[in-house]
Amino acid sequence: MKILKFGGTSVGSAARIKGLLDIVNPSERQIVVLSAVAGTTNALVEISQAYLVGKKDEAKQLIKQHKDKYESLIKELFTTDQGYKNGKDLIDYHFDFIGSLSNEHFTPIEEKVVLAQGELISTALFHFHLNEIGVPSVLLPALDFMKIDEDNEPMVSYIGEKLNALLAKYPDNTLFITQGFICRNSFGEIDNLRRGGSDYTASLIGAAIQADEVQIWTDIDGMHNNDPRVVKNTTPIAHLSFNEAAELAYFGAKILHPQSVFPAQKYNVPVRVLNTMDPKAAGTLISKDGAQKGIIRAIAAKDNITAIHIHSSRMLLAYGFLRKVFEIFERYKTPIDMITTSEVAVSLSIDDTTHLADIIKEVEDFGTVSADENQTIVCVVGDFGQNTHGYAARVLDAVKHLPIRMISYGGSDYNVSILMDSEYKTEALRSLHNRLF
Ligand code: ADP
Ligand code: ASP
Ligand code: MG
């Protein structure tokens, strides 16, 4: 079984939805995971924001605008009266439902329900399209098997059990379709895997049912060696290790959801990143043996980082100090990305600032604390193992004209990370690119 995930642009128009069959071979056993049509989730976020602040008229207008786009899409997608009727009933149902929420008390719970509509629509449209042209397919509701626990962690064994049971009901079918991004939480409510989460869905499904391969079909020819939105002349990387790809995704390479490599890595399912607009391009293979000795592979950057500096003379020659500090972050379920220490001070970085004020208040018991927002982690991935030398110097040399806040080296064999003020990110990415590649 293969898992093929198509992102928003890959299902972004009637022509693209029809074009999926150039890539999907209906006679091969596969699960096709779809994102919402490009722009839809952003629109649903806007509608929810309007509802949350009580701007019902604005929400209504946004709903109308967005529904109009789908009206044009279905006119182009379906060629028979019945096909068109299926499409029309579908979008009427979903947009009427979103509209009906204007009468409800709108909370973040309703917001998640609204955000789920995009994937529910795109998968049903593809399924109806396949029906219309006589290609058999089964639509598997992700809300029946994708689940996260009380810590928002996906429940891989549960997903595997439920999904295998569903698949077993259709022994003669080969083509299955399901929604990316959406899931249920521990209360059974509709939830999601965070923005860009369809990649994560594909990898979780691949891991849960031990698929042969996960394919991430997107709008670019693989994982590039730097952010193509910021730097010119980036190039695709043919083969990466799970560790390298996980590091790049976690540290900001938008092409993959930050968590999406971990499930595939844990269950050793190879991931290919491929281009829907150029299906013959080689793309990127991510697998166990993808690392290359002695070279720097790629650069990524993660924004919206907050740096926290704790200065405490109590740290001098003391043990147990860091544990006490880490326990505070643990209690507030706030992951730490980078950390550096000296005799009397520790600096660390976080990206989830939900509990920042509480954390600072508690850490202040240990010493003087300061926090700086608008920081960026620039992450360079490659062979930084103990047997290599000179690479860290090359990285630092490339950013020597920029003020840097923290450096992390030696945490793993394949990454050097640098924290800096976000205003220097573009220059850092360009300078590193020019000097390292
Ligand atoms: P999808 O909708 O298919 O999930 P995304 O927009 O989430 O697509 O991801 C693809 C985009 O990621 C590319 O168009 C590119 O602009 C951006 N991107 C950022 N960093 C990288 C990188 N290192 N390699 C390739 N693409 C990247
Ligand atoms: N549609 C969702 C989003 O835009 C999930 C995804 O595209 O991966 O974030
Ligand atoms: Mg994406």
Side-chain angles (χ1 to χ4, degrees):
M1 180 79 98
K2 283 186 182 161
I3 317 300
L4 279 69
K5 176 259 169 175
F6 293 90
T9 320
S10 306
V11 292
S13 64
R16 293 243 181 271
I17 295 174
K18 289 182 189 176
L20 292 182
L21 277 193
D22 296 342
I23 295 167
V24 173
N25 173 1
S27 57
E28 224 179 280
R29 251 177 100 71
Q30 65 207 291
I31 301 177
V32 172
V33 175
L34 299 185
S35 293
V37 171
T40 299
T41 312
N42 285 345
L44 296 172
V45 169
E46 267 189 78
I47 292 165
S48 302
Q49 292 305 322
Y51 273 147
L52 281 167
V53 296
K55 293 186 177 165
K56 292 184 184 179
D57 287 342
E58 192 184 313
K60 200 168 159 189
Q61 212 182 335
L62 288 165
I63 293 168
K64 157 119 186 38
Q65 267 173 22
H66 212 63
K67 189 176 173 193
D68 286 348
K69 288 192 195 159
Y70 277 93
E71 301 269 6
S72 322
L73 190 150
I74 57 168
K75 274 186 196 136
E76 214 184 313
L77 180 61
F78 296 105
T79 50
T80 62
D81 289 346
Q82 185 57 46
Y84 177 76
K85 184 175 180 310
N86 290 344
K88 178 79 173 111
D89 288 349
L90 178 86
I91 62 169
D92 282 349
Y93 172 80
H94 286 280
F95 284 100
D96 286 354
F97 170 70
I98 300 169
S100 74
L101 294 172
S102 68
N103 304 319
E104 304 279 326
H105 176 52
F106 200 87
T107 71
I109 296 177
E110 281 72 33
E111 178 176 19
K112 285 170 179 170
V113 178
V114 170
L115 294 196
Q117 304 306 307
E119 273 71 12
L120 292 170
I121 296 175
S122 64
T123 46
L125 285 176
F126 184 47
H127 181 59
F128 289 152
H129 165 64
L130 292 177
N131 275 350
E132 182 176 62
I133 61 170
V135 174
S137 69
V138 178
L139 186 54
L140 300 173
L143 297 176
D144 289 354
F145 62 89
M146 284 301 295
K147 194 162 167 89
I148 51 176
D149 65 16
E150 52 284 1
D151 291 325
N152 294 329
E153 286 299 323
M155 301 167 69
V156 180
S157 338
Y158 174 97
I159 295 167
E161 272 166 41
K162 286 279 179 184
L163 183 53
N164 278 321
L166 279 173
L167 291 169
K169 288 189 189 167
Y170 306 96
D172 300 329
N173 280 87
T174 48
L175 178 51
F176 298 89
I177 305 164
T178 194
Q179 298 85 20
F181 180 56
I182 63 175
C183 62
R184 286 196 191 273
N185 60 26
S186 57
F187 302 106
E189 297 158 349
I190 295 181
D191 211 317
N192 62 62
L193 301 172
R194 311 277 171 93
R195 295 305 305 272
S198 301
D199 304 324
Y200 202 15
T201 303
S203 174
L204 285 164
I205 291 180
I209 64 166
Q210 313 264 304
D212 302 315
E213 182 172 294
V214 171
Q215 299 180 353
I216 305 290
W217 289 88
T218 182
D219 58 3
I220 188 166
D221 55 350
M223 190 119 178
H224 278 220
N225 59 357
N226 204 334
D227 190 332
R229 295 165 302 175
V230 180
V231 178
K232 282 194 205 118
N233 304 322
T234 61
T235 47
I237 310 169
H239 198 177
L240 281 169
S241 69
F242 284 121
N243 282 332
E244 291 169 335
E247 208 82 42
L248 291 168
Y250 187 78
F251 286 113
K254 189 205 170 211
I255 187 163
L256 289 177
H257 178 282
Q259 256 95 37
S260 60
V261 180
F262 301 125
Q265 174 168 31
K266 187 162 173 203
Y267 294 86
N268 196 22
V269 182
V271 177
R272 277 181 201 280
V273 183
L274 296 157
N275 188 357
T276 316
M277 324 300 154
D278 182 11
K280 293 213 161 61
T284 300
L285 170 64
I286 302 167
S287 69
K288 206 160 114 184
D289 51 358
Q292 266 184 36
K293 284 268 166 242
I295 58 168
I296 291 176
R297 318 278 331 257
I299 304 161
K302 184 175 175 181
D303 294 325
N304 298 318
I305 300 293
T306 296
I308 301 173
H309 182 78
I310 307 158
H311 189 277
S312 169
S313 51
R314 276 204 268 157
M315 198 175 158
L316 196 65
L317 300 177
Y319 52 82
F321 178 85
L322 287 177
R323 176 178 53 76
K324 288 180 198 144
V325 171
F326 287 160
E327 271 171 2
I328 297 170
F329 287 82
E330 189 184 349
R331 225 175 308 120
Y332 289 101
K333 294 189 175 165
T334 301
I336 295 168
D337 282 331
M338 278 176 79
I339 170 151
T340 56
T341 61
S342 77
E343 277 303 291
V344 289
V346 51
S347 278
L348 40 86
S349 77
I350 60 171
D351 76 339
D352 177 358
T353 52
T354 319
H355 303 291
L356 183 60
D358 292 322
I359 290 174
I360 290 180
K361 211 155 64 200
E362 291 201 29
V363 177
E364 271 171 346
D365 287 347
F366 301 114
T368 321
V369 184
S370 62
D372 285 310
E373 293 174 342
N374 299 323
Q375 306 289 304
T376 292
I377 297 176
V378 173
C379 168
V380 183
V381 165
D383 179 8
F384 293 102
Q386 286 174 25
N387 299 325
T388 62
H389 49 87
Y391 291 130
R394 280 174 64 199
V395 169
L396 292 180
D397 193 54
V399 293
K400 68 180 177 206
H401 55 305
L402 303 173
I404 58 183
R405 176 80 195 253
M406 283 166 72
I407 303 169
S408 172
Y409 173 77
S412 77
D413 282 350
Y414 36 80
N415 143 348
V416 172
S417 302
I418 301 167
L419 188 78
M420 59 182 67
D421 200 286
S422 299
E423 69 177 288
Y424 305 116
K425 171 180 107 169
T426 302
E427 173 54 21
L429 291 185
R430 287 182 189 155
S431 179
L432 283 162
H433 198 78
N434 292 338
R435 277 152 207 263
L436 299 181
F437 302 128

